Amino acid sequence: MGTYVNRLGSSAPRIGALSADSDVAVWALAATSDVVGGYPVAEALPMLDAAERDRAGRLLREGDRRRYLASHVGLRVLLGGYLGLAPADVVLVRDTCPCCGGPHGRPAVDGAAPHFSLSHSDDMAYFAFAGVPVGVDVQAISTPAAVADVLAALHPAETAELTALPEADRPAATGRVWSRKEACLKATGVGLARGLAEPYVSSARTPAAVPGWTLTDLPAPPGYTAALAVATTASVSADARA
């Protein structure tokens, strides 16, 4: 059975408690919404912190800026619901980068719980929340030309799988690879710093096993793919002992 995806709309969401284990809550949002969780997107700036306002201000296209604001209003509404706080009172920080040790790793809540992940692509945003490290990704399916540009950057086995497919089937299969890989990279906090070759996630209908993580595809609207990576209990225990 796949992971259920909740819908965040214009009304205040009904949010339950998160468990401390690998149970995860996933939400989806149409990032073109004018009102998110009861908050008008046009009035969002006072809710955001300085870093979010700076990022929004650097987006030159109005549509990109509105989608960014809607996504971050959604994130704060949901985090506030899980924490029992007003959205503006949620304090966001960055974990230490696992690659260089700098203060630009995975986004986190001040105080470390819950773990969360946000992804947005075109008009969709996905959110994931859990008691353990988690990563979520949603991708608008690319054009054949864009697919050709990324093939060589993937794991050699993924490149071979995709080039063996009929050209018409490659965009959707590449979307599966991309969303799975991004979900894993967001969950670890590594991002794209080490490239796109690892981990191997497969382009098949079922994701490949990734040690330390439970990787699954998520339901997504037509024209999108989405995936979720959740740390296994064993990997969290190993991290705690390190």
Side-chain angles (χ1 to χ4, degrees):
M1 181 179 295
T3 300
Y4 181 76
V5 177
N6 301 281
R7 305 295 298 185
L8 177 60
S10 59
S11 301
R14 298 177 62 183
I15 299 177
L18 282 174
S19 67
D21 56 22
S22 57
D23 286 348
V24 60
V26 179
W27 295 77
L29 166 71
T32 53
S33 302
D34 292 327
V35 180
V36 175
Y39 292 85
V41 173
E43 302 171 10
L45 286 179
M47 179 190 300
L48 307 183
D49 63 24
E52 290 169 306
R53 291 193 297 270
D54 177 68
R55 173 62 177 154
R58 288 188 283 112
L59 295 172
L60 299 180
R61 293 189 295 185
E62 176 63 22
D64 291 341
R65 185 162 53 251
R66 286 188 61 82
R67 286 188 286 269
Y68 175 88
L69 291 173
S71 299
H72 281 253
V73 170
L75 176 65
R76 286 180 166 275
V77 165
L78 293 169
L79 279 173
Y82 289 119
L83 294 167
L85 296 173
D89 293 336
V90 175
V91 179
L92 300 176
V93 296
R94 287 276 185 171
D95 286 341
T96 300
C97 174
C99 297
C100 69
H104 48 256
R106 187 177 54 195
V109 176
D110 191 27
H115 295 273
F116 71 89
S117 181
L118 160 65
S119 174
H120 52 86
S121 180
D122 285 2
D123 292 342
M124 290 302 302
Y126 272 51
F127 313 84
F129 305 88
V132 296
V134 62
V136 72
D137 192 70
V138 60
Q139 293 289 333
I141 294 177
S142 299
T143 64
V147 168
D149 288 341
V150 304
L151 279 178
L154 302 175
H155 190 282
E158 292 162 350
T159 302
E161 292 165 7
L162 292 167
T163 53
L165 292 174
E167 187 171 346
D169 294 340
R170 291 178 192 169
T174 303
R176 290 195 293 270
V177 170
W178 194 273
S179 56
R180 294 167 184 172
K181 203 171 289 274
E182 283 269 25
C184 291
L185 296 175
K186 288 178 179 179
T188 60
V190 170
L192 300 178
R194 296 175 182 168
L196 285 170
E198 298 293 342
Y200 169 69
V201 296
S202 175
S203 64
R205 293 288 180 179
T206 301
V210 177
W213 301 91
T214 299
L215 179 61
T216 56
D217 291 338
L218 294 172
Y224 291 85
T225 59
L228 176 74
V230 185
T232 63
T233 302
S235 66
V236 173
S237 298
D239 289 343
R241 291 194 300 268

